[in-house]
Amino acid sequence: MTKAGDTVRAEGTVRVETTVDTEDGAQRVARAVIEHQVGACAQISGPITSYYRWEGEVQNDPEWIVVIKTTADRLETLTARILDVHPYDVPEIVAVPVVGGNPAYLDWVRDETRAGGTA
């Protein structure tokens, strides 16, 4: 259970996920969002196997997940940056609000995404 102060600190923090078809592609996305300071941290996991329907056919492909922590007010710029470097026509970009956590970490996420950055 979080204290009231912890919940306030978490307000506005989001966790964003995208998937990419290669590890190199995942690294490009991660590096781009950190270099442009639209994300505080990006983690890559994989390979995973994704199943989906595309152009009327069921597909399955290996992918790598990139999880990025940022603030809600940077989400639009982060999304634009991901779209700029992502190899897919329609990339998954899903943001989930953070409802609590380590106050010092959440402060760090906010501080790391405050210095500006360009999409």
Side-chain angles (χ1 to χ4, degrees), residues 3-51:
K3 297 181 243 171
D6 294 351
T7 301
V8 169
R9 288 175 191 254
E11 189 175 301
T13 305
V14 293
R15 177 181 157 125
V16 179
E17 296 181 11
T18 189
T19 53
V20 183
D21 59 346
T22 66
E23 187 174 9
D24 286 344
Q27 290 175 5
R28 274 192 301 281
V29 168
R31 179 169 293 284
V33 301
I34 300 306
E35 285 178 346
H36 284 80
Q37 292 182 289
V38 293
C41 174
Q43 298 160 319
I44 299 170
S45 298
I48 60 167
T49 302
S50 292
Y51 284 80

Side-chain angles (χ1 to χ4, degrees), residues 16-86:
V16 179
E17 296 181 11
T18 189
T19 53
V20 183
D21 59 346
T22 66
E23 187 174 9
D24 286 344
Q27 290 175 5
R28 274 192 301 281
V29 168
R31 179 169 293 284
V33 301
I34 300 306
E35 285 178 346
H36 284 80
Q37 292 182 289
V38 293
C41 174
Q43 298 160 319
I44 299 170
S45 298
I48 60 167
T49 302
S50 292
Y51 284 80
Y52 56 95
R53 183 177 304 276
W54 184 251
E55 298 179 346
E57 301 281 331
V58 174
Q59 308 285 329
N60 68 295
D61 292 299
E63 292 188 300
W64 281 255
I65 299 171
V66 183
V67 177
I68 305 153
K69 274 69 77 181
T70 193
T71 55
D73 65 336
R74 299 295 278 155
L75 183 56
E76 186 176 328
T77 306
L78 171 67
T79 300
R81 186 68 193 140
I82 292 171
L83 289 170
D84 189 45
V85 298
H86 206 289

Side-chain angles (χ1 to χ4, degrees), residues 94-112:
V94 178
V96 179
V98 174
V99 297
N102 175 359
Y105 180 80
L106 299 173
D107 286 344
W108 175 79
V109 169
R110 186 192 63 243
D111 292 346
E112 284 298 308

